[in-house]
């Protein structure tokens, strides 16, 4: 499941979901249940919702499992903003902003918007959170 990528389109954008990095925070569902409903198939339905609302909700995804691109443009995130770090109770460390992360093997990964880092030590996708803290009942 780690390398699966699913795409959902409307006229304006394509929403990309990578289930292998989703931490199941439910922020998408709680924020916009008309679009994101895991009880339905497909679980992402973009029709009948303003594109701006969808983009705003996708931007809140803490793991980066949800992203989007404009169908007729190449989007480059050139924001030069302050980086914000937030600790989620019993969950990951969220870092907001553009990041260049160097893995222990020297590989570089670019992340933008929100990145969720593991705090429980049990993620199979380190240094990123994979939601394992929930099943391990991490407290901190």
């Amino acid at each position: 499941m780690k390398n699966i990528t699913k795409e959902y389109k409307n006229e304006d954008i394509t929403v990309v979901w990578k289930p292998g990095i989703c931490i199941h925070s439910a922020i998408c569902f709680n924020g916009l249940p008309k679009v994101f409903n895991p009880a339905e198939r497909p679980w992402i339905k973009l029709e009948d919702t303003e594109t701006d609302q969808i983009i705003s909700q996708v931007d809140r995804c803490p793991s980066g499992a949800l992203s989007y691109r404009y169908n007729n443009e190449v989007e480059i995130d050139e924001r030069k903003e302050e980086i914000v770090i937030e600790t989620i109770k019993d969950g990951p460390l969220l870092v907001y902003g553009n990041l260049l992360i160097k893995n222990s093997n020297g590989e570089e990964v670019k992340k933008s918007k929100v990145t969720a880092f593991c705090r429980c030590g049990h993620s199979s996708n380190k240094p990123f959170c994979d939601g394992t803290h929930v099943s391990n009942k991490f407290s901190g």
Side-chain angles (χ1 to χ4, degrees), residues 54-82:
I54 297 167
I55 289 171
S56 178
Q57 195 61 44
V58 168
D59 283 343
R60 291 181 180 94
C61 178
S63 66
L66 288 172
S67 62
Y68 67 90
R69 66 177 177 271
Y70 290 97
N71 294 335
N72 297 321
E73 297 178 22
V74 174
E75 183 185 6
I76 299 172
D77 192 352
E78 292 291 336
R79 298 177 292 169
K80 304 281 190 237
E81 58 190 37
E82 190 173 86

Side-chain angles (χ1 to χ4, degrees), residues 21-25 27 61-63 85-96 114-121 123 127-134 138-140:
I21 62 173
C22 184
I23 62 171
H24 307 289
S25 67
I27 289 172
C61 178
S63 66
I85 300 172
E86 176 183 8
T87 303
I88 301 299
K89 182 178 178 0
D90 303 332
L93 184 72
L94 301 182
V95 180
Y96 300 85
V114 184
T115 304
F117 288 99
C118 176
R119 285 197 314 133
C120 75
S123 173
F128 308 108
C129 177
D130 69 358
T132 305
H133 60 274
V134 175
F138 172 72
S139 177

